[in-house]
């Protein structure tokens, strides 16, 4: 489901499951985490995450919906494979660049927010979709969006669940650059190769400082428990089950707010 390649000091990993539009199944995510571990052992200084093209022009359709739990469990818990992957990206000791051709949905949008630098083209769109499915989004995920966007823009993305296009994504600071489709790969590779010539130790320590400092808001235990209590109410709701059922039955969900 993924392809990997090493070019000099850059590790490249490509999502490659066109039949399911690169949805982030456990199998695919485990492969991504393993490739990051292997790149780390081989001291790759920069990572590029990209996607093989598919008929729908989707970079990734987000969480693999049939794997979302339906037994009153947290769908986005600490040990959810995607959450493990996002932490591996944040802790990789070098920049992780996402090269985005096509549309990005749900959990894959969180992956983009978690990456260090994103380069898109004119086909790039991004949507964060828990409101479409009735999913209680997790606190760390919301923080990823607040860190990359203003609160105002993050709220609009979550509340509408609509894709934003490349121009808006660049204006809102989600993607660093929009380049022509036929330049996307070369542009991203040139940036990766340049970064790989710089001091890897300085860069890895600066990246770790960004991670620690942007997480430095203190949260009391009771506030955290309150957030978890609110989220539990959502994953135990009829709306959550209706959202998943409607996707499976290829129809619009009927949410009642219960
Ligand atoms: O019917 P087959 O077997 O051909 O499979 C279809 C789709 O069911 C499958 N597929 C997915 N399978 C699992 N998980 C997914 N997320 C997923 N998305 C798609 O791929 C095959 C082709 O899809 P199809 O026929 O719908 O293609 P299309 O070109 O007509 O439409 C493309 C999309 C992306 C507009 C459409 O597939 C779509 O809306 N997909 C769901 C996008 C989405 O809402 N993703 C969020 C996933 S949930 C998540 O990430 C978090 C939990 S949250 O929402 O909280 O952020």
């Amino acid at each position: 489901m993924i392809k990997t390649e090493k070019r000099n000091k850059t590790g490249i990993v490509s999502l490659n499951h066109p039949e399911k539009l690169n949805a982030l199944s456990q199998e695919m995510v485990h492969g991504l985490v393993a490739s990051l571990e292997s790149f780390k052992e081989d001291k790759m200084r920069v990572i590029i995450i990209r996607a093989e093209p598919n008929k729908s022009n989707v970079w990734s359709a987000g969480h693999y919906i049939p794997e979302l739990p339906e037994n009153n469990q947290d769908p986005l818990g600490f040990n959810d494979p995607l959450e493990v992957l996002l932490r591996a990206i944040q802790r990789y000791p070098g920049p992780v660049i996402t090269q985005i051709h096509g549309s990005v949905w749900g959990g894959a949008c969180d992956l983009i927010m978690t990456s260090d630098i994103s380069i898109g083209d004119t086909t790039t769109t991004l949507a964060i979709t828990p409101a479409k499915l009735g999913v209680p989004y997790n606190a760390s995920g919301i923080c990823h969006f607040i860190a990359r966007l203003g609160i105002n823009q993050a709220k609009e993305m979550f509340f509408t669940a609509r894709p934003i296009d490349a121009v808006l994504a660049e204006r809102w600071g989600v993607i660093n650059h929009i380049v022509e489709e036929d330049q996307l790969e070369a542009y991203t590779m040139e940036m990766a190769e340049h970064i790989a010539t710089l001091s890897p130790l300085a860069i890895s320590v600066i990246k770790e400082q960004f991670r620690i400092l942007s997480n430095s808001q203190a949260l009391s235990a009771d506030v955290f428990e309150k957030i978890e209590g609110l989220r539990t109410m959502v994953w135990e709701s009829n709306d959550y089950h209706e959202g998943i059922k409607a996707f499976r039955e290829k129809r619009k969900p009927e949410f009642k707010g219960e």
Side-chain angles (χ1 to χ4, degrees):
M1 287 192 184
I2 59 161
K3 290 188 192 167
T4 59
E5 187 190 335
K6 288 172 202 157
R7 280 195 222 163
N8 301 319
K9 291 286 171 199
T10 300
I12 304 170
V13 54
S14 306
L15 314 181
N16 185 31
H17 191 196
E19 299 78 11
K20 298 291 179 185
L21 310 181
N22 295 326
L24 297 164
S25 61
Q26 296 192 7
E27 191 182 343
M28 179 184 277
V29 171
H30 288 318
L32 285 164
V33 172
S35 64
L36 287 180
E37 278 163 10
S38 147
F39 287 146
K40 192 159 132 187
E41 273 170 28
D42 293 337
K43 300 202 180 327
M44 293 292 117
R45 294 181 181 181
V46 186
I47 304 301
I48 296 174
I49 305 181
R50 60 182 294 284
E52 291 295 322
N54 52 60
K55 66 171 175 47
S56 303
N57 223 7
V58 173
W59 191 86
S60 169
H63 256 85
Y64 192 79
I65 295 171
E67 287 178 356
L68 289 174
E70 290 188 80
N71 53 354
N72 288 344
Q73 270 183 22
D74 186 347
L76 299 175
F78 188 76
N79 292 319
D80 175 74
L82 183 63
E83 300 305 315
V84 174
L85 171 64
L86 300 186
R87 291 196 295 277
I89 290 172
Q90 289 173 319
R91 285 173 172 75
Y92 190 85
V96 175
I97 304 178
T98 38
Q99 174 187 316
I100 321 162
H101 173 76
S103 61
V104 181
W105 302 85
C109 189
D110 204 342
L111 190 161
I112 302 297
M113 301 292 162
T114 308
S115 68
D116 298 300
I117 297 171
S118 301
I119 318 278
D121 64 24
T122 50
T123 68
T124 305
T125 66
L126 299 113
I128 182 68
T129 50
K132 255 176 62 186
L133 284 156
V135 168
Y137 217 70
N138 54 354
S140 61
I142 289 182
C143 288
H144 301 153
F145 283 77
I146 295 175
R148 192 84 161 222
L149 295 154
I151 285 198
N152 205 18
Q153 291 80 2
K155 280 184 179 169
E156 182 175 326
M157 286 192 77
F158 273 96
F159 294 164
T160 66
R162 282 191 181 139
I164 57 167
D165 66 17
V167 173
L168 202 51
E170 188 191 35
R171 197 188 312 153
W172 285 0
V174 180
I175 57 177
N176 297 63
H177 304 280
I178 309 171
V179 298
E180 293 299 325
E181 269 182 63
D182 59 359
Q183 296 297 310
L184 181 63
E185 193 161 337
Y187 187 96
T188 311
M189 197 63 212
E190 190 281 328
M191 185 185 284
E193 288 194 326
H194 167 67
I195 293 172
T197 63
L198 305 175
S199 163
L201 186 59
I203 288 179
S204 68
V205 170
I206 292 167
K207 173 166 168 172
E208 182 64 355
Q209 287 180 90
F210 271 117
R211 189 184 71 77
I212 294 169
L213 295 172
S214 57
N215 274 334
S216 61
Q217 261 179 329
L219 198 64
S220 67
D222 60 331
V223 169
F224 180 74
E225 280 165 10
K226 180 177 176 190
I227 290 175
E228 286 307 283
L230 290 168
R231 294 186 56 246
T232 306
M233 191 171 70
V234 182
W235 79 66
E236 288 181 350
S237 71
N238 290 330
D239 276 6
Y240 173 70
H241 296 290
E242 166 64 5
I244 296 175
K245 196 159 172 268
F247 175 82
R248 198 178 296 125
E249 293 168 3
K250 297 186 188 281
R251 61 171 173 81
K252 272 190 122 164
E254 280 184 43
F255 292 127
K256 298 203 166 78
E258 302 167 346

